[in-house]
Amino acid sequence: MNKEEIILKAILYSEKEPSKEQKARFGKFLKNKYGEGVELEYVKSDEYAGGFRLQVGDDIYDWSLAGRIRQLQETLVNVPTDKGDIIPLLKETVHDWTPEAYAEQIGEVLTVGDGIATVRGLDEVTFGEILIFAGGVRGMVQDIREDEIGCVLFNDDEDVTQGSLVKRTGRTAGTPVGEDFLGRAVDALGTPIDGLGEINAEGYMPVEAQAPHIIDRQPVDTPLETGIFSIDSMFPIGRGQRELIIGDRQTGKTAIATDAIINQKGKDCICIYVAIGQKTSSVVHIQQTLIKHEVMDYSIIISASASDPAPLQYIAPYAGCAMAEYFMNQGKDVLIIYDDLSKHAVAYRALSLLLDRSPGREAYPGDVFYLHSRLLERAARLSDEIGGGSVTALPIVETQAGDVSAYIPTNIISITDGQIFLESDLFFSGQRPAVNVGLSVSRVGGDAQTKAMKKAAGTLRIDLAQYREMEVFTQFASDLDDQTRAQLEYGQGLMRMLRQPQYKPKSQHEQVITLVMALAHTMQGIPAEKVEPFIEGFVKMFETEHADICEKIDREGVMDDELKEEIIKIAAEYRDGIN
Ligand code: ATP
Ligand code: MG
């Protein structure tokens, strides 16, 4: 149909038929607003007492008593209530208020099902805009076609039926933000789900936002200590970095994330845990863990569980990121965990297929890379001129049978600055955390380590690589020469050293002195099963007898050659002492 052929019709609903003058005024208004040739039709209706309702195409001008009361209500809702005595403010608002006949665009639902609605009308709607459906159901525009739009629904679609009306809001999807969110668990739209009452939001941020520009950033050079020995020593994470945690199911991925949160205690770093498509029971477990370790007061949990509709799971990580950005813009450091992005991709795939988008590789839509790149690009360390805040992202991805070359894992590996690869075999053999040293990497690397840690970790990675190679090589050999045996024993000792129980993050000094001691071959001759008690005893002794050294390492993050030699000497004496 040509645009010219569409005849715009204006329908006026009111109790009484308008007088001649009134009709002339309407005619003039319509001519000004919509041009020539708009017919005005009158329909008698008792619904619009004390006023009228004018419908022109998709636009509706509600001048009924109820409409005007609603307008006043909307104005009053926006009066700030946290500024002390609000009575004068309310008086002033009511006094200054004049009702307006503004156009509201109204559309009509064509089809609805599986959390997706197609809508006719709403010509001027924008991509990502929030729409309000019957019964207050909210939805987001995800598809704009020539004569209809596709919209995902955030609530139960029971109340929405074919033919029900839809209203524009003019706002894109957003999330309330504020200090009060710390210590709370909320859903993807920022509504509390922990039963602790309302949250006072300080603002509203769009869930989709531009990543900071290059000029607004600065290099990543400040460590974000996870307290996990194998990570801090070999794959250090810096503030503003994106490090992927990847592995099969039940390999301790979430455990690494929670330990990293627990280790931020007293380090001035806000933590946000985004659960996507997880069981509600697991999320509750994490919340309890965080409360138990007294770290919930600087954390936020955002949960779009497996039972939530796909659209909520889809926007949850963006909402989490918006909350993180709120704190970053105030110059604070934030650690955000997306657990996990494979389920996020699956939710997006479900949504895209329901919206009739053409499926590509593994049935994911063509823009699934952009789905994660635009999210992870928002992790940044801002320059000092704009506050120097940072968002460090730890996305989690689940692999199937250790296959890192599948579609979603490769995408996310290429977006992040490195990955911690967790392996089932290691996990089941008791090597926990099950970090595969060969396949893991941190591309920011040494810049994100303190000088002391860098110096202490020295040859650890190379030594472990040599050990792994030799282990494979000597697997079937029955008699080994002494040197090989010693090398194997040394490697085994290092692997034992990297074992670490859950919820026991290690401090900087503990990691540094352990590394210096172990890499000096101090543990040579100690049987594998005695390595862990030996290290524990050594650290305990060191902390009580050389507290000054520990304190110096923690505070200054440096260790000169002299200090290193001293630690080695103390370690050797300790070993000789217990033998
Ligand atoms: P899923 O795929 O189900 O999300 P996951 O990879 O996130 O699993 P976790 O839930 O973190 O794995 O851990 C699986 C189990 O291993 C848990 O019971 C956890 O307590 C245990 N576990 C994880 N890390 C360690 C560790 N370092 N030491 C001992 N047990 C651990
Ligand atoms: Mg998990």
Side-chain angles (χ1 to χ4, degrees):
M1 210 181 350
N2 278 330
K3 197 89 189 163
E4 294 87 65
E5 286 171 28
I6 305 171
I7 298 167
L8 211 52
K9 212 166 163 188
I11 308 171
L12 182 72
Y13 302 88
S14 71
E15 223 176 350
K16 278 195 298 234
E17 172 134 24
S19 64
K20 249 207 175 105
E21 293 95 75
Q22 280 172 327
K23 271 191 180 158
R25 279 221 300 276
F26 278 120
K28 202 167 149 202
F29 166 78
L30 290 171
K31 197 175 147 192
N32 278 343
K33 189 110 192 179
Y34 299 95
E36 295 283 351
V38 186
E39 279 171 43
L40 185 69
E41 191 185 313
Y42 167 70
V43 176
K44 186 176 164 55
S45 161
D46 295 337
E47 262 181 69
Y48 305 99
F52 63 85
R53 179 175 130 138
L54 181 68
Q55 182 168 353
V56 193
D58 290 339
D59 294 350
I60 288 185
Y61 300 87
D62 190 348
W63 193 258
S64 62
L65 199 58
R68 276 176 286 168
I69 288 175
R70 208 186 57 231
Q71 268 191 36
L72 178 63
Q73 213 172 19
E74 278 167 15
T75 318
L76 290 180
V77 163
N78 291 329
V79 172
T81 52
D82 55 349
K83 303 272 186 302
D85 188 5
I86 61 161
I87 306 279
L89 205 57
L90 284 176
K91 270 188 185 154
E92 196 184 321
T93 312
V94 174
H95 186 257
D96 290 348
W97 181 71
T98 36
E100 283 171 68
Y102 57 81
E104 277 181 339
Q105 281 208 354
I106 303 280
E108 187 191 338
V109 175
L110 290 178
T111 61
V112 61
D114 298 316
I116 306 277
T118 51
V119 175
R120 186 173 54 198
L122 303 181
D123 284 345
E124 282 153 43
V125 87
T126 53
F127 187 84
E129 186 171 327
I130 295 291
L131 303 180
I132 309 249
F133 290 78
V137 173
R138 283 193 284 174
M140 178 168 62
V141 178
Q142 277 294 297
D143 205 18
I144 298 180
R145 296 178 214 156
E146 205 173 334
D147 45 6
E148 62 180 42
I149 55 173
C151 181
V152 298
L153 303 180
F154 291 136
N155 315 78
D156 211 348
D157 60 17
E158 238 167 46
D159 289 339
V160 183
T161 51
Q162 189 189 355
S164 58
L165 293 185
V166 191
K167 220 173 90 176
R168 278 186 67 179
T169 61
R171 289 204 301 190
T172 51
T175 173
V177 291
E179 294 287 331
D180 274 8
F181 279 86
L182 294 173
R184 302 297 300 269
V186 295
D187 69 7
L189 298 171
T191 318
I193 50 170
D194 50 8
L196 296 177
E198 290 231 346
I199 301 177
N200 269 330
E202 276 152 45
Y204 184 83
M205 308 241 312
V207 293
E208 299 270 7
Q210 278 266 322
H213 293 285
I214 286 186
I215 303 162
D216 295 337
R217 296 179 184 236
Q218 63 173 314
V220 173
D221 60 7
T222 315
L224 184 131
E225 286 142 14
T226 61
I228 298 163
F229 203 176
S230 40
I231 296 178
D232 288 352
S233 61
M234 290 180 287
F235 316 106
I237 298 169
R239 302 197 169 194
Q241 190 177 337
R242 300 152 301 173
E243 183 83 3
L244 171 65
I245 302 170
I246 184 167
D248 281 1
R249 53 177 299 276
Q250 291 289 307
T251 48
K253 304 183 295 296
T254 305
I256 289 201
T258 38
D259 280 356
I261 294 180
I262 291 170
N263 195 49
Q264 300 315 310
K265 200 172 184 171
K267 292 205 169 75
D268 226 5
C269 181
I270 289 163
C271 302
I272 300 181
Y273 177 83
V274 186
I276 310 153
Q278 306 269 336
K279 289 187 298 251
T280 308
S281 62
S282 332
V283 182
V284 170
H285 178 72
I286 285 170
Q287 187 193 14
Q288 279 167 352
T289 308
L290 297 186
I291 291 173
K292 194 171 132 214
H293 290 90
E294 296 170 355
V295 295
M296 199 58 205
D297 18 311
Y298 59 80
S299 309
I300 304 173
I301 293 177
I302 296 163
S303 167
S305 69
S307 62
D308 281 327
L312 281 184
Q313 295 184 36
Y314 160 62
I315 68 157
Y318 301 103
C321 194
M323 286 194 196
E325 280 166 347
Y326 170 77
F327 293 110
M328 173 172 76
N329 293 340
Q330 296 175 357
K332 295 180 183 162
D333 291 315
V334 186
L335 168 69
I336 184 161
I337 287 139
Y338 304 113
D339 193 0
D340 66 59
L341 291 188
S342 341
K343 295 196 181 75
H344 183 232
V346 168
Y348 185 60
R349 171 168 67 185
L351 196 145
S352 305
L353 292 176
L354 287 168
L355 283 168
D356 272 349
R357 294 199 187 135
S358 55
R361 183 171 158 193
E362 287 178 32
Y364 288 106
D367 63 346
V368 73
F369 185 90
Y370 180 57
L371 176 77
H372 293 139
S373 62
R374 73 175 190 269
L375 172 69
L376 294 171
E377 273 299 297
R378 284 162 72 181
R381 169 124 185 266
L382 297 182
S383 66
D384 288 334
E385 289 85 64
I386 49 173
S390 71
V391 169
T392 311
L394 295 183
I396 295 179
V397 159
E398 186 182 302
T399 51
Q400 308 292 330
D403 182 12
V404 280
S405 58
Y407 190 26
I408 301 299
T410 41
N411 276 354
I412 299 176
I413 286 173
S414 72
I415 299 165
T416 47
D417 308 304
Q419 71 274 354
I420 311 281
F421 183 63
L422 303 175
E423 208 171 53
S424 295
D425 289 350
L426 285 173
F427 190 84
F428 293 125
S429 69
Q431 181 69 32
R432 299 175 191 178
V435 178
N436 178 318
V437 179
L439 287 177
S440 302
V441 66
S442 165
R443 288 180 205 119
V444 171
D447 284 351
Q449 260 174 334
T450 61
K451 291 201 174 69
M453 182 62 94
K454 211 190 288 192
K455 191 160 190 164
T459 55
L460 179 59
R461 277 193 78 174
I462 300 169
D463 289 357
L464 283 173
Q466 273 172 357
Y467 160 68
R468 271 200 323 277
E469 218 162 77
M470 194 177 286
E471 193 192 22
V472 176
F473 188 62
T474 55
Q475 214 160 27
F476 303 106
S478 49
D479 52 349
L480 301 170
D481 60 277
D482 285 348
Q483 203 199 340
T484 315
R485 201 185 303 277
Q487 279 248 341
L488 275 177
E489 211 181 83
Y490 170 63
Q492 268 159 10
L494 294 182
M495 290 299 279
R496 287 272 172 169
M497 171 187 82
L498 294 176
R499 290 188 184 187
Q500 188 176 347
Q502 251 183 302
Y503 317 128
K504 292 241 159 48
K506 289 191 199 292
S507 62
Q508 274 282 296
H509 71 259
E510 181 173 356
Q511 299 192 21
V512 169
I513 58 172
T514 311
L515 280 169
V516 170
M517 177 275 292
L519 294 179
H521 292 254
T522 309
M523 299 192 294
Q524 204 79 55
I526 297 176
E529 65 281 2
K530 292 216 174 117
V531 163
E532 284 160 90
F534 173 80
I535 293 176
E536 203 173 306
F538 167 67
V539 170
K540 206 175 250 165
M541 176 280 296
F542 204 103
E543 280 175 345
T544 39
E545 286 176 26
H546 305 278
D548 52 327
I549 299 182
C550 299
E551 206 242 347
K552 187 173 145 86
I553 294 173
D554 282 339
R555 196 184 42 198
E556 296 171 15
V558 287
M559 171 179 67
D560 51 21
D561 288 332
E562 246 167 82
L563 185 56
K564 190 172 168 185
E565 288 309 318
E566 197 183 334
I567 297 171
I568 295 174
K569 207 174 98 218
I570 297 169
E573 277 166 14
Y574 174 74
R575 179 202 52 203
D576 298 341
I578 59 168
N579 280 339

